[in-house]
Amino acid sequence: MKIIFLIFCCFLSSVSPNQQSYNAIFSFGDSLADTGNFLLSGALAFPVIGKLPYGETFFKHATGRCSNGRLIVDFFAEAYGLPLLPPYLALKNGVKAEHGVNFAIAGATAIAAEYFYSKNITVLWTNISLTDQVGWFQEVKSNICATRKDCREYFKKSLFIVGEIGGNDYNYPYFVGGSIKQLKALVPAVVETIIEATSVLIEEGAVELIVPGNLPIGCSALYLTLFGTTNKAAYDKNGCLKAYNAFSKYHNSQLKLSLEKLREEYPHAKIIYADYYGAAKRLFHAPKHYGFFNTLVACCGGGGPYNFNNSARCGHIGSKACLDSSKFANWDGIHLTEAAYHHIAKGLLNGLFTSPPLTFSPIKKI
């Protein structure tokens, strides 16, 4: 009987370990991670995200997320048993930052907005850049921990997600006629800005940071609509535009090279590259495997080959949402669905698309 009891105790200890987790998540980026800052900022560039069908799937109401439901950062918070991150601008309303804050804002660029205005590119959704978001973090930090020692202890078990960011630095010039060759020349400045922001966060006490690459923009309904061509050779076997995906890969390769140098500069920090491109591309490569009916056509839109119509975008008059968003990867032609973000998040959390893997395994199944 005693032997059975000991075996039983050993069994319990093997299946019920005291799992460690992150105590907070701090998120930076653009509309792929924004949980409400753009809406709270009162910006008028994209007001439709403040009403249904945005948010219809999970929240049942609009939250300021540029999707029908949860984002990658939301799944990360759930996986580590943390509450969904409050947007930074909600802190002014008394919302607590105990378990982290989301500084991401839709339309944000890595490079300062002044650069784009100097080039007569005035289509920006917001003037907030990644540097501004780091500044917001520095403001919040003083309310989280009082001393350098306290901060070091707190941030030791905090996860910093620096992006995705940089996509809009390319989107804005592309949409006003910029060429791939012209945009390639901008990559070093975008990457350098991301690296500088990551460096500042490490200096502020961050120990574990995820720095994501860009998504395969050649598979976006928006890009497929704007840059579509009758030349079949321009498309890969999945129907995505080769040249634009190659550009995303170029940005990502330059970012990875710079992260290697940053690791040498800060050997005590764990700097993780998150392969958003690879995690998303598999959804377009084998859609049925992930339960998708169509990954190139937007769920919500106003018609056209990819259901993206700039004069009847999702949420505007003339558009409508699909009946089952779980069958679609593209949400509004620009952003992805909750279902797509869920698969990407799972790929990152299980280590398939994070290099090196995260320190802590998820404590909850998502």
Side-chain angles (χ1 to χ4, degrees):
M1 190 70 179
K2 189 175 181 180
I3 293 173
I4 294 173
F5 177 76
L6 287 171
I7 292 172
F8 179 70
C9 288
C10 290
F11 174 75
L12 282 179
S13 65
S14 67
V15 297
S16 305
N18 292 320
Q19 285 182 286
Q20 290 187 304
S21 183
Y22 301 101
N23 58 19
I25 296 175
F26 295 95
S27 171
F28 305 80
D30 53 29
S31 56
L32 298 189
D34 185 1
T35 55
N37 280 313
F38 184 82
L39 199 60
L40 290 168
S41 73
L44 300 175
F46 205 59
V48 293
I49 65 171
K51 61 182 181 180
L52 293 171
Y54 286 86
E56 67 175 11
T57 302
F58 181 78
F59 301 98
K60 308 302 180 186
H61 63 90
T63 64
R65 289 167 172 79
C66 294
S67 183
N68 59 306
R70 290 164 291 181
L71 311 177
I72 294 170
V73 66
D74 294 317
F75 289 113
F76 264 71
E78 290 183 5
Y80 291 109
L82 299 171
L84 300 186
L85 300 188
Y88 163 76
L89 294 178
L91 301 184
K92 297 177 181 179
N93 301 325
V95 176
K96 301 297 182 183
E98 183 183 355
H99 296 291
V101 184
N102 195 343
F103 302 100
I105 184 166
T109 51
I111 299 172
E114 287 74 20
Y115 167 83
F116 299 97
Y117 295 137
S118 72
K119 301 293 183 183
N120 294 317
I121 299 170
T122 59
V123 294
L124 278 67
W125 288 11
T126 178
N127 294 330
I128 302 299
S129 68
L130 178 59
T131 303
D132 296 315
Q133 293 176 36
V134 172
W136 286 353
F137 166 75
Q138 290 169 322
E139 289 177 17
V140 170
K141 180 184 173 185
S142 62
N143 298 322
I144 295 174
C145 46
T147 68
R148 188 176 182 84
K149 182 181 178 183
D150 289 341
C151 289
R152 189 166 59 246
E153 288 303 311
Y154 187 81
F155 295 137
K156 191 185 293 182
K157 287 186 64 179
S158 296
L159 181 65
F160 289 74
I161 307 177
V162 191
E164 178 274 340
I165 192 75
N168 289 323
D169 295 70
Y170 309 129
N171 288 339
Y172 295 135
Y174 269 140
F175 299 160
V176 295
S179 68
I180 290 178
K181 184 178 179 181
Q182 289 172 324
L183 269 294
K184 266 196 169 184
L186 188 58
V187 171
V190 172
V191 169
E192 182 182 353
T193 307
I194 296 170
I195 295 300
E196 286 178 359
T198 306
S199 176
V200 170
L201 291 172
I202 295 171
E203 294 287 349
E204 291 286 349
V207 176
E208 184 159 352
L209 309 95
I210 294 177
V211 184
N214 284 353
L215 292 167
I217 58 174
C219 301
S220 159
L222 171 61
Y223 273 76
L224 287 164
T225 300
L226 293 182
F227 305 115
T229 172
T230 55
N231 178 13
K232 293 183 179 179
Y235 299 86
D236 65 19
K237 62 181 180 181
N238 305 311
C240 303
L241 287 164
K242 292 178 184 176
Y244 291 93
N245 276 354
F247 177 82
S248 291
K249 288 197 284 188
Y250 176 71
H251 164 91
N252 294 342
S253 67
Q254 297 307 299
L255 178 60
K256 284 190 283 186
L257 286 173
S258 294
L259 289 177
E260 282 295 331
K261 295 177 183 177
L262 194 64
R263 290 185 184 109
E264 293 174 6
E265 189 175 347
Y266 296 102
H268 73 282
K270 186 171 187 178
I271 303 170
I272 302 167
Y273 174 71
D275 182 11
Y276 277 25
Y277 184 99
K281 192 64 168 70
R282 59 189 182 149
L283 308 182
F284 300 97
H285 180 70
K288 291 182 180 178
H289 179 76
Y290 297 96
F292 293 124
F293 166 73
N294 196 317
T295 50
L296 299 179
V297 174
C299 165
C300 182
Y306 301 99
N307 197 30
F308 180 85
N309 181 342
N310 203 38
S311 61
R313 298 193 307 272
C314 181
H316 290 82
I317 295 172
S319 71
K320 64 179 181 179
C322 60
L323 294 177
D324 186 358
S325 59
S326 69
K327 301 296 183 185
F328 288 75
N330 264 301
W331 165 242
D332 57 7
I334 305 171
H335 309 99
L336 303 182
T337 60
E338 176 182 278
Y341 287 135
H342 185 207
H343 284 298
I344 293 171
K346 286 175 70 175
L348 299 169
L349 288 163
N350 66 22
L352 284 176
F353 298 97
T354 45
S355 179
L358 292 144
T359 296
F360 300 124
S361 298
I363 62 172
K364 291 188 177 180
K365 187 177 180 180
I366 60 167

